[in-house]
Amino acid sequence: MESSQRTDTGRWDAVVVGSGPNGLTAAAMLARAGRSVLVLEAAETVGGGTRSTELFESGVVHDVCSAVHPLGRVSPAFAELDLASHGLRWATPDASLVHVFDEERALAVFRDPLATDHALGVDAKSWRRLVGVDADQLGMLVDEVLRPIGVPRHPLLMARFGFRALQSADRFTRAFDEEATRTLFAGVAAHAIVPLSTAASSAPGLMLLAPASVTGWPIAVGGSQSIADALVSCLLAAGGVIETGRRINCFDDLPPARQYYFDTSIRGLVAILGERIPPRVRRAYERWRYGPGVCKIDFLLSEPIPWRTPLPSRTATIHVAQDYAQIADAESAVARGQHPVRPWLLAGEPTRIDPSRAGDANRHVAWAYCHVPNGSSRDLGEEMIAELERCAPGFRDVIVASQVTTAEEIGEHDANFVGGDIGSGANSLRQLVARPRLSANPFRPNPYATGVPGAYLCSSATAPGGGVHGMSGYWAAKFGLRDQRGRL
Ligand SMILES: Cc1cc2nc3c(=O)[nH]c(=O)nc-3n(C[C@H](O)[C@H](O)[C@H](O)COP(=O)(O)OP(=O)(O)OC[C@H]3O[C@@H](n4cnc5c(N)ncnc54)[C@H](O)[C@@H]3O)c2cc1C
């Protein structure tokens, strides 16, 4: 598709490489600012980590990667682009998260803080004090955390948050009396795929749990692809152009443009820009480390998962681990480059919350994944099924079809998830603070600059990091527009 919007010189104002949520957000921001924009995507379909597909049966929709979107729901970028007017609708269950321990026991974090209090019993007070936030605090936290790290805008809130966030999950959870509450928190903290004994390993738990009892943990109606589709609609309405099946391997593959935005991994960026990147920046990029991967299994089911406890039917996000040790041991093993002996699961059954994905035959859809060493080609499908069967006896009988995607295959499916690392970079303390490198000016940090004039990195390898929120693309576009206009 050629566009009439190219400049007189035949150049695009901006070429965006990659159509994940960050690339599409950057492209939409630039197009709405009046720039001619071309998006080039290696895959045959757009969306990167927000793609959905009919894996087994026509009309039955499975999310290929991202499934649950607490940060998407509160994203200032998605709000500014008014994705609702481009068709995005959220389905928000009343339980943000349910942790299933075994056949009988489960514990939930509800949208209603009173219901969460009731569920947590003796730990309710500590949970509210240490984890809970109200709508105002959530707004400030989002404003602070979903942007490049710099001088805080809300210093008091950040001092409070920072003190807790810097603790390891092991230490942080000592505040709770019940093993179940500690395990509940550990499951959320372990989304970052770091050992629970690591400094700042409580940070992801605190950030993800902040919206849990305010805006909730929603899924996108129709599948995560609806997020990409809404971004595409926004981009096309502003005159942008997308080409799929166009992998950019080197600089010469790029069409002429005034600016380039790379929704790629750091490895991909270095391959494309090569020697153009100044040595100082290149050295920082070479220090970049990838984290462990994930092994995922998708299910087509004849019936919902036969949980014995009613709670999991009220959520889109289920964690499965018998106790704290199961999560802690698995994360330590994976950090050492070993497969977990007892993997713990992140899982979901989206058709319970969004029946529009079920197809005409009224099927059910479920998924689960566990953490594994980076690049692992091991199929842990049987272990994951066994874990689900342990908590929901009879689960095997409702499986119509299943498909395992190993960490290695996840990396092949989307080049940003190097070795199956869904964060496109380890969530170590260093890489959380310097994502992907420290900015010289803390008053105006710009982690998107590559040192090559007019070239910006805008993927989740930049601040504020992983997850579907579009904020890396948003800020990269803001910096790019400022560089053209001389102001932000
Ligand atoms: C199994 C799994 C589960 C997840 N679950 C969740 C979840 O529940 N909630 C959540 O918020 N996040 C989740 N994530 C993470 C989320 O998907 C990512 O953080 C998010 O997609 C990052 O967006 P991005 O735009 O930076 O990159 P991506 O979404 O990875 O998009 C990058 C795009 O660029 C393309 N590309 C890369 N290199 C090139 C090139 N050289 N030329 C052309 N195109 C290129 C890729 O093909 C891809 O389409 C999950 C990820 C995985 C893999």
Side-chain angles (χ1 to χ4, degrees):
M1 273 187 281
E2 286 296 281
S3 163
S4 56
Q5 293 212 359
R6 281 203 204 189
T7 59
D8 298 343
T9 57
R11 288 193 301 173
W12 296 90
D13 287 326
V15 165
V16 179
V17 178
S19 72
N22 283 312
L24 289 174
T25 300
M29 292 291 296
L30 293 161
R32 279 162 52 112
R35 304 298 184 270
S36 62
V37 181
L38 171 67
V39 177
L40 299 174
E41 166 57 50
E44 294 303 329
T45 55
V46 294
T50 52
R51 270 175 281 219
S52 308
T53 188
E54 296 170 357
L55 259 187
F56 306 104
E57 270 182 17
S58 163
V60 186
V61 177
H62 301 256
D63 291 331
V64 179
C65 300
S66 78
V68 185
H69 299 104
L71 298 180
R73 173 72 181 75
V74 298
S75 161
F78 292 175
E80 189 170 323
L81 294 173
D82 192 12
L83 295 190
S85 74
H86 291 277
L88 177 62
R89 284 188 299 130
W90 299 113
T92 311
D94 70 335
S96 289
L97 155 77
V98 172
H99 188 109
V100 180
F101 300 89
D102 50 37
E103 266 183 58
E104 261 115 50
R105 291 179 311 135
L107 188 56
V109 179
F110 293 95
R111 272 183 85 187
D112 175 359
L114 289 175
T116 307
D117 281 355
H118 184 69
L120 294 180
V122 292
D123 281 327
K125 235 174 156 178
S126 305
W127 186 272
R128 269 215 189 211
R129 183 169 53 85
L130 297 170
V131 180
V133 298
D134 61 24
D136 288 344
Q137 290 166 328
L138 176 62
M140 287 191 276
L141 202 55
V142 164
D143 181 41
E144 197 70 75
V145 175
L146 292 188
R147 70 182 176 97
I149 290 184
V151 177
R153 293 173 180 169
H154 311 284
L156 276 182
L157 179 84
M158 284 319 284
R160 253 188 85 220
F161 180 78
F163 176 71
R164 286 171 279 151
L166 283 172
Q167 294 175 27
S168 69
D170 279 347
R171 187 185 162 82
F172 180 80
T173 51
R174 281 188 219 150
F176 304 121
D177 288 334
E178 296 285 336
E179 155 86 9
T181 317
R182 287 197 285 275
T183 310
L184 175 71
F185 184 88
V188 187
H191 276 234
I193 327 186
V194 292
L196 301 181
S197 54
T198 312
S201 52
S202 64
L206 288 168
M207 190 54 217
L208 286 173
L209 283 165
S213 293
V214 185
T215 42
W217 283 19
I219 57 177
V221 173
S224 300
Q225 183 76 46
S226 307
I227 301 172
D229 290 349
L231 286 165
V232 167
S233 161
C234 188
L235 170 65
L236 297 184
V241 176
I242 302 174
E243 283 181 27
T244 53
R246 281 281 304 270
R247 180 175 298 282
I248 302 301
N249 294 310
C250 62
F251 195 79
D252 290 342
D253 290 344
L254 289 165
R258 291 206 165 101
Q259 291 188 329
Y260 296 99
Y261 292 82
F262 294 94
D263 184 14
T264 65
S265 68
I266 294 212
R267 194 175 284 178
L269 177 80
V270 170
I272 295 167
L273 292 183
E275 297 299 321
R276 289 174 179 78
I277 303 173
R280 166 182 56 85
V281 180
R282 220 185 137 103
R283 276 196 299 276
Y285 287 163
E286 278 162 4
R287 280 197 293 273
W288 188 252
R289 293 291 169 263
Y290 291 95
V294 311
C295 177
K296 183 171 188 253
I297 184 162
D298 287 288
F299 298 104
L300 179 70
L301 306 176
S302 57
E303 307 277 335
I305 301 179
W307 305 105
R308 292 275 166 89
T309 69
L311 277 179
S313 61
R314 296 170 60 184
T315 189
T317 312
I318 300 159
H319 291 167
V320 181
Q322 184 143 25
D323 49 25
Y324 190 96
Q326 185 172 350
I327 302 175
D329 292 351
E331 296 306 325
S332 303
V334 164
R336 290 194 305 271
Q338 295 165 359
H339 288 86
V341 177
R342 283 192 308 160
W344 74 280
L345 308 187
L346 297 95
E349 224 183 326
T351 31
R352 296 250 201 195
I353 308 302
D354 173 20
S356 78
R357 306 175 182 205
D360 292 340
N362 213 5
R363 295 295 203 186
H364 295 267
V365 162
W367 56 269
Y369 71 74
C370 65
H371 300 155
V372 294
N374 188 282
S376 163
S377 57
R378 200 155 130 190
D379 174 341
L380 290 187
E382 190 44 47
E383 287 85 340
M384 289 193 270
I385 292 172
E387 194 58 12
L388 288 166
E389 181 77 31
R390 177 177 72 77
C391 298
F395 173 63
R396 282 178 199 278
D397 302 335
V398 302
I399 301 174
V400 177
S402 66
Q403 178 181 295
V404 172
T405 313
T406 65
E408 187 184 35
E409 288 164 343
I410 285 175
E412 287 161 5
H413 170 85
D414 180 333
N416 286 24
F417 302 135
V418 175
D421 171 3
I422 68 174
S424 204
N427 290 313
S428 61
L429 184 53
R430 182 172 71 82
Q431 293 195 168
L432 286 177
V433 175
R435 195 165 186 93
R437 60 196 181 93
L438 272 185
S439 297
N441 180 353
F443 292 96
R444 190 161 283 180
N446 179 359
Y448 314 100
T450 60
V452 180
Y456 304 87
L457 182 63
C458 70
S459 69
S460 64
T462 61
V468 173
H469 43 63
M471 292 305 289
S472 303
Y474 175 88
W475 287 115
K478 288 251 179 194
F479 275 100
L481 290 168
R482 182 201 66 176
D483 290 348
Q484 284 182 337
R485 291 195 209 110
R487 66 190 164 79
L488 191 58

